[in-house]
Each structure stands twice: as C-alpha cells, then as structure tokens.
C-alpha cells in the first residue's frame, strides 16, 4: 500500500510539473506576441509528434519509478526538488524574458554585461547559449538554469539525469572489492550539481568530484550540495579539455548535457580527457541530447531546437558519431545506446 501511494504521489508530481511547464510556455508565447511581436511564422507541431512525445514522457517516468522500486536509488530522490529555490527564482525568470527575446531577435550571441569577465575562457564558451542572460558566466544564469531546464523538458530534466545512475552502479561492480569511501567518481562539466546530488543519494559513501568552467555555476553547485550528508563533494574550476586530475584516478566519470554545446574537435578532446583520468576497468557515462541516428522521427524537432535556441554547435552534434569518438579515445567496450525521452546514453568501459 505504501509503495502504491508513493507511486501515485510521484506520478501526480510529474504530471503537475508538466502542466506547470506547459502553462509557462503558453503564457510566455502569448506575452511575447503582445509585448514584442515579430514577423516569424508560428512553427506547427503535428498531433502525431505530440502523441509520440507524450509516450516518451510516460516511458521515462515508468523507468524512473522502476529503478527506484528496484533499489537502484532511494525513492526519496524522486522528490528531491528545490521548490523553495524555484519559487524564489521564478519571478526573476519571468522578468528576464524580455531581455532573452531582444537578444534572440537581434541575434546578439555574445551579449555580456560589463561586470562579467569573459577573458581566459575558450572562444566557443563565450556565448549566450539559449540566448540566456550572462551565458554560463553569471550568477543570474546559474540561479535560473535548473528551473529553465525543468520547464524546457516539461518537468523531466531530473528524470533524464537519473538515467545515468543504473549503469553507474552496475559499472562500479568492477571495483566491488574497493571500500565504498575509496570509490572516486567525477562529474565532468558538473554545472549546478543536480547530477552530483543524485549520485550522492545513491552512493552516500563514495568520494565525489565535480569540475566546471564556470565559477558562477560552481557557486550554485556549492549551495546545492551544502545540505548533503557524507564527505564534502570536491569541486574545481577547470576545462574538460585539460582536466586537473592525474591519469587513472577515477573509478567512474559521468558527463551530462555537455557534448551538444561543444565544437566537434573539442568533443573529441573531452572524451580523451575523460578516458585519461579513468581507471582501467572504469566506466564512462554520457547523457546528452538525442541525435538523428537514434531518433530520426524527431529530426524536424532537432532542427527546430537548433533554430529556436542559440545552440551554435548542435547542428554538427546531430550527425556526430559519438561511438566512433569513444573508440578513437581508446574505449574497448561500448554498451548499446539507450534513449529516454529527449536524451540518449552511452556507456563505455576502459
């Protein structure tokens, strides 16, 4: 009875998040038409596509619940939402919309306030990804990011992130003789640490590490991790092209929603660096956007995403062969690709 009630509560929560996301999108579209009209024609979404997307949402929620029910991670993780933070940030998100619209209409892709330091970052990184204010370099962006992503994916962003947990736990079986506290896991390009929170819930004793290029996002990550029990998560500011760790150090490396925002050559370098810092027998897990090769029926939506949001490297990502890149880096075993909702997962062994 308790499991049934928990499942119903989870399903209700996910449905509520989906409705709220839809309401926000609808209202923001109407507000833009009224306050900042443009000549762009509306993009029709075929009913068949809506039905397919809804089925994908239902499927990922079913898998999410099943993994919790099987004990891959605690069911409490399904309800680990920073509601207070979201409520506090939502008015700022709404207030920021006119700036995003103006930036999109004016094609201002490198629009930063004077107080934001852009020196020292790779050129490809100094962008207003998604037209967001401050790109990835401002505290405002870091504070709004998780809420923006949850709205974009209809409340399923964390469910997509959690799909790395089952293969991570399975991969660590190669080191079952290693004491739990000595297991080292790196989340490369950790952002605001939503993935690290999920890993901590599943592996409370493991030593967790996060690296990211944005000091603003690392400040937010520290805030998100402050209330977690267990050893302190070690965060470093660094570039995935040159990870600040020695060779063969980690038992597992994860990377979530990064590769579609990298130029092709940098994608390869990032995979090679993750390979370098991974121990022999270790597992590397990529979670990222779907590609044409695994979801050809959604190709039109991928093009729409590229054209609607400022994603300068997404077009090349759509057709990129990540499996070949993993092989070039030296990974000997690559498990079959999985697809959940709008995300895909690659698991490789060193």
């Amino acid at each position: 009875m308790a499991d049934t009630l928990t499942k119903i509560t989870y399903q209700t929560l996910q449905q509520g998040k989906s409705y709220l996301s839809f309401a926000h999108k609808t209202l923001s579209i109407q507000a833009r038409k009224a306050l900042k009209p443009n000549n762009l024609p509306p993009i029709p979404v075929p009913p068949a596509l809506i039905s397919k997307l809804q089925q994908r949402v239902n499927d990922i929620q079913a898998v999410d619940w099943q993994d919790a029910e099987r004990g891959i991670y605690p069911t409490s993780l399904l309800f680990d939402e920073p509601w207070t933070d979201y409520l506090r940030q939502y008015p700022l998100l709404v207030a920021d919309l006119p700036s995003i619209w103006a930036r999109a209409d004016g094609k201002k892709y490198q629009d930063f306030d004077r107080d934001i330091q852009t020196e020292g970052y790779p050129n490809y990184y100094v962008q207003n990804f998604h037209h967001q204010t401050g790109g990835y370099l401002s505290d405002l962006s870091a504070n709004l990011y998780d809420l923006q992503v949850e709205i974009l994916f209809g409340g399923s962003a964390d469910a997509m992130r959690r799909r790395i947990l089952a293969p991570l736990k399975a991969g660590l079986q190669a080191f079952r003789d290693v004491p739990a506290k000595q297991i080292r896991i790196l989340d490369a390009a950790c952002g605001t640490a939503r993935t690290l929170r999920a890993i901590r819930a599943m592996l409370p004793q493991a030593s967790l590490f996060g690296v990211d290029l944005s000091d603003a996002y690392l400040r937010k990550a520290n805030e998100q991790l402050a209330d977690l029990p267990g050893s302190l998560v070690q965060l470093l500011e660094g570039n995935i092209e040159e990870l600040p760790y020695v060779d063969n150090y980690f038992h597992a490396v994860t990377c979530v929603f990064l590769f579609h925002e990298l130029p092709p050559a940098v994608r390869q370098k990032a995979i090679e660096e993750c390979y370098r810092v991974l121990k022999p027998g270790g597992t590397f897990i990529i979670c990222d956007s779907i590609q044409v090769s695994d979801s050809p029926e959604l190709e039109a939506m991928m093009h729409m995403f590229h054209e609607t949001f400022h994603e300068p490297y997404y077009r090349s990502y759509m057709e990129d062969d990540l499996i070949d890149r993993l092989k070039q880096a030296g990974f000997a075993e690559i498990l079959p690709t999985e697809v959940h909702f709008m995300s895909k997962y690659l698991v490789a062994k060193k």
Side-chain angles (χ1 to χ4, degrees), residues 123-225:
N123 289 335
Y124 65 81
Y125 191 72
V126 185
Q127 306 262 358
N128 296 102
F129 291 95
H130 324 133
H131 305 293
Q132 63 195 47
T133 300
Y136 287 130
L137 302 177
S138 72
D139 289 316
L140 175 64
S141 169
N143 284 326
L144 297 183
Y145 178 79
D146 290 324
L147 178 56
Q148 289 171 326
V149 173
E150 281 295 337
I151 290 172
L152 175 64
F153 291 115
S156 294
D158 275 344
M160 289 192 289
R161 292 188 186 99
R162 285 192 288 266
R163 305 283 57 74
I164 71 162
L165 296 180
L168 174 60
K169 197 169 192 178
L172 290 175
Q173 285 299 303
F175 303 101
R176 53 185 171 273
D177 294 333
V178 177
K181 289 187 177 181
Q182 295 179 21
I183 291 293
R184 294 186 292 269
I185 302 168
L186 170 67
D187 187 34
C190 64
T192 63
R194 291 299 297 167
T195 301
L196 284 167
R197 278 189 68 94
I199 296 173
R200 171 60 84 218
M202 182 179 74
L203 301 169
Q205 295 187 66
S207 295
L208 303 186
F209 298 73
V211 63
D212 200 271
L213 199 50
S214 171
D215 56 356
Y217 275 64
L218 288 173
R219 281 192 291 273
K220 186 65 176 181
N222 266 317
E223 179 186 316
Q224 296 240 44
L225 298 170

Side-chain angles (χ1 to χ4, degrees), residues 206-261:
S207 295
L208 303 186
F209 298 73
V211 63
D212 200 271
L213 199 50
S214 171
D215 56 356
Y217 275 64
L218 288 173
R219 281 192 291 273
K220 186 65 176 181
N222 266 317
E223 179 186 316
Q224 296 240 44
L225 298 170
D227 66 333
L228 295 184
S231 61
L232 188 68
V233 178
Q234 300 181 48
L235 301 177
L236 279 179
E237 183 177 351
N239 191 334
I240 196 171
E241 295 180 76
E242 192 174 355
L243 288 171
Y245 306 101
V246 299
D247 298 357
N248 307 317
Y249 189 65
F250 294 102
H251 300 85
V253 177
T254 62
C255 193
V256 178
F257 296 140
L258 171 70
F259 286 97
H260 71 280
E261 294 189 338

